[in-house]
Every structure is written in structure tokens, then in C-alpha cells.
Amino acid sequence: MTFDSFLPMSIPSYSREQILAGLDKHSRQADNRVRVLYAGRYIKDFNFDAMCRLYTNIRGEHYDDVIIIEAFPGEHPHLLPMVSVPSFSTPLGEVPVNDALRNDFCDEDDDFFIDDAGYTDDMAVHNHLMMLQCTLDSFRLLSIQIVHAQSSIVRELANAVSELMRDRNALVIACADASSSTPAQLQKLQDYINGNSFSRIKNYLNTGDAGISGSAPVSAASMIAAEWELETHLHIPDTEKPVCLAGYAQLKSRSN
């Protein structure tokens, strides 16, 4: 059981005013356009401020599509399922799903399926949508779950997202639980990602040495960031208390 399992309050309990007030406490850190977010699987009391700090980096931006990638809860024969719902609903309203894009992924690779086996109220997408609704004016959504952390599936997902979304105005959000991680572990992960050390990233995450559970989305996001030539910045807290995954990958400046 992870640290955040003990916390009673989650973001669906917050009002729009509370979320906006949380966002107002922070200023943008990214100095270029953000294409990927690394985020905690859930947004609860203990990481609400960190998630507000993260989402400030896309506040006021416009993305046509947002892809949220999270781990599938358990085993399933369809390795990259996408739920079939036409929209997602939160206390702040409806968010439409990009059905045409969902079909494009099914046409792209064999392991993508429209499948509702993983559709539950516990999905990370339900948490992050409220942050997105408070930072973006309008967008379409695509939810992708990943069943296995095996290299071939992670690479298949990363290649499909990189190819289909490269020239589109899209944001990718990779969700995972880092509440058992430490600042030193997150620093090492950031170094591996920016060094394009994919074998090290895979081993570091899959062995549990990074303290991150449900880590396959992070592996995929690291490959997407490399393919799009992005620079990753993870928030490294100055505390040894339980932390959360919070970071962004932005376009590299011309001087880099």
C-alpha cells in the first residue's frame, strides 16, 4: 500500500475556485513549450500543491489534444487498451474524446484496442482532467492504458504516439506513483532520461530501484521526449518525505 492510499481527500472534492487558488500560488518554470508532463497517478491532499506547481507550466496554453497514459490495473490480453466512452465527466463538466484519433491508434499497431475492461472510477484520468479543465480552455482527450512494462509494448506505445502526434498540437501526460521514491532517485531518473539511456531507464524502473510503481508510462514518455528532442525537468524536492512524480519535458532552446 502506498502513502497516498491513506489520504482521504482527492481532487474531485475540490472546487474550481480551490484549484485556481492553488495554481495562483505558483509561476511558470518552463521557458519553452511543454509537450510532455510526468505526473502522480492521483491528486490528493499531500501532492495537490506539487500538482498545481506542475500544471502552472501549461496554464493558458492551447493544445488540441491531450493524451493521458496510465498503467492498467492487472492483467489483460489487450496490451494497449483505450476506453470507448465518447467523453469523460468531472464535477467541472464534460471533456470530449477524440474518437478519430483513437481509431488512428488502432490502425497504427496491433496491440491498440478499444476496450473498456480497465474503465473504473479509479483511473488517473479522472484526477488529471480537473487540473486540465482549470488550465486549458478547451481540448479533446485520449486515454491509453498500458498493461505490461515489457520493452516491446512500451516501445510500441512510444513509437505510435511519437509518430501520430509529432506534428499535432498535443500534450502527453504520463502518470505513475512515486510516493515511495526519494529526491535522489528522481534525480537519477532525470539524468537517465536526459541522457537517452533507455536500457538504464528500463532497468531502473522495472527493478523497483526508482521507487516508482506503475512505471511503464514513464518509460514510454522518456522515449517520446527523446524522439521529439525534448528536455526533461523533474521536480526534485528538498525533503526525504514521500514525494510525487512531477515534471515536464519542453522543447529545447536553440542554444542547447
Side-chain angles (χ1 to χ4, degrees):
M1 185 173 291
T2 59
F3 177 82
D4 62 347
S5 302
F6 296 97
L7 295 159
M9 294 286 288
S10 60
I11 195 169
S13 304
Y14 286 73
S15 67
R16 181 184 293 273
E17 290 72 23
Q18 287 174 303
I19 297 172
L20 291 174
L23 291 164
D24 286 340
K25 294 179 181 179
H26 301 280
S27 57
R28 179 185 174 96
Q29 298 164 307
D31 56 10
N32 214 334
R33 184 163 177 78
V34 171
R35 295 292 309 273
V36 174
L37 292 181
Y38 302 87
R41 184 174 176 85
Y42 304 113
I43 303 176
K44 297 192 175 186
D45 284 349
F46 90 105
N47 67 350
F48 175 71
D49 186 66
M51 290 294 98
C52 286
R53 182 180 187 272
L54 172 64
Y55 271 92
T56 301
N57 290 295
I58 64 166
R59 194 175 188 183
E61 297 286 345
H62 174 72
Y63 299 93
D64 295 324
D65 295 290
V66 176
I67 298 177
I68 296 181
I69 305 172
E70 60 180 291
F72 183 90
E75 297 294 320
H76 193 57
H78 294 163
L79 299 179
L80 295 170
M82 301 172 289
V83 297
S84 67
V85 296
S87 64
F88 283 89
S89 179
T90 79
L92 303 183
E94 296 281 327
V95 177
V97 170
N98 189 335
D99 183 59
L101 181 59
R102 183 166 50 193
N103 290 330
D104 286 343
F105 274 95
C106 288
D107 293 338
E108 185 75 11
D109 284 293
D110 293 338
D111 288 309
F112 287 93
F113 285 89
I114 298 176
D115 187 317
D116 290 330
Y119 183 63
T120 68
D121 291 339
D122 204 37
M123 292 174 69
V125 64
H126 297 302
N127 285 247
H128 288 277
L129 276 181
M130 292 184 67
M131 277 292 186
L132 289 165
Q133 287 171 304
C134 289
T135 51
L136 305 178
D137 288 334
S138 64
F139 59 95
R140 297 165 301 189
L141 179 73
L142 182 63
S143 168
I144 303 176
Q145 295 172 302
I146 181 167
V147 176
H148 287 300
Q150 64 195 63
S151 298
S152 59
I153 301 304
V154 171
R155 189 169 294 278
E156 182 178 342
L157 171 59
N159 287 345
V161 173
S162 297
E163 181 65 26
L164 287 173
M165 310 311 295
R166 181 189 305 277
D167 297 323
R168 302 193 195 192
N169 183 27
L171 174 72
V172 175
I173 304 176
C175 301
D177 176 19
S179 59
S180 297
S181 191
T182 66
Q185 288 170 315
L186 291 180
Q187 181 65 60
K188 182 178 287 189
L189 176 61
Q190 176 179 283
D191 293 343
Y192 285 163
I193 293 174
N194 284 328
N196 297 337
S197 304
F198 299 123
S199 61
R200 289 183 175 180
I201 293 169
K202 179 190 70 174
N203 292 333
Y204 190 49
L205 293 172
N206 290 353
T207 60
D209 290 344
I212 297 176
S213 62
S215 62
V218 178
S219 293
S222 71
M223 294 182 182
I224 295 166
E227 185 65 26
W228 289 349
E229 299 183 345
L230 307 178
E231 182 180 48
T232 290
H233 299 264
L234 297 182
H235 176 54
I236 313 297
D238 56 358
T239 174
E240 291 297 325
K241 294 179 180 179
V243 299
C244 70
L245 183 64
Y248 59 88
Q250 65 177 15
L251 298 174
K252 292 181 180 179
S253 64
R254 293 184 182 273
S255 60
N256 287 350

